[in-house]
Amino acid sequence: MTSKEIKDLSQDQLKEQIAQERERLLRLKFAHAISPIENPLRIRASRKEVARLLTELSVKGNQQ
């Protein structure tokens, strides 16, 4: 997701996206622990995506 797309999401949508991204991160970590995944940089990208979503949720929460 681009930062523009993230900023356009509502708080409920952000929470849903965070849950989905955390689930994806968990699955990537498990898959990597069992056998090395083809592109381990996907784990880093997923962590950063969670951080971006949490940051935007925090910003939206502070605005109210």
Side-chain angles (χ1 to χ4, degrees):
M1 284 188 122
T2 63
S3 60
K4 172 86 171 107
E5 291 172 338
I6 291 173
K7 289 180 192 245
D8 291 340
L9 296 175
S10 70
Q11 285 187 341
D12 291 334
Q13 290 172 327
L14 282 169
K15 289 176 184 177
E16 289 175 20
Q17 283 295 116
I18 290 168
Q20 289 175 359
E21 197 62 39
R22 282 185 171 162
E23 181 68 27
R24 186 179 338 184
L25 178 60
L26 187 63
R27 290 178 190 268
L28 282 171
K29 284 183 178 180
F30 282 141
H32 188 63
I34 294 170
S35 65
I37 57 177
E38 188 174 312
N39 187 0
L41 295 179
R42 289 190 319 185
I43 294 172
R44 184 186 308 168
S46 187
R47 271 197 330 257
K48 287 185 177 189
E49 186 70 21
V50 169
R52 283 187 198 101
L53 292 166
L54 287 171
T55 300
E56 188 60 32
L57 182 62
S58 175
V59 168
K60 286 186 187 271
N62 290 337
Q63 287 178 352
Q64 292 181 353

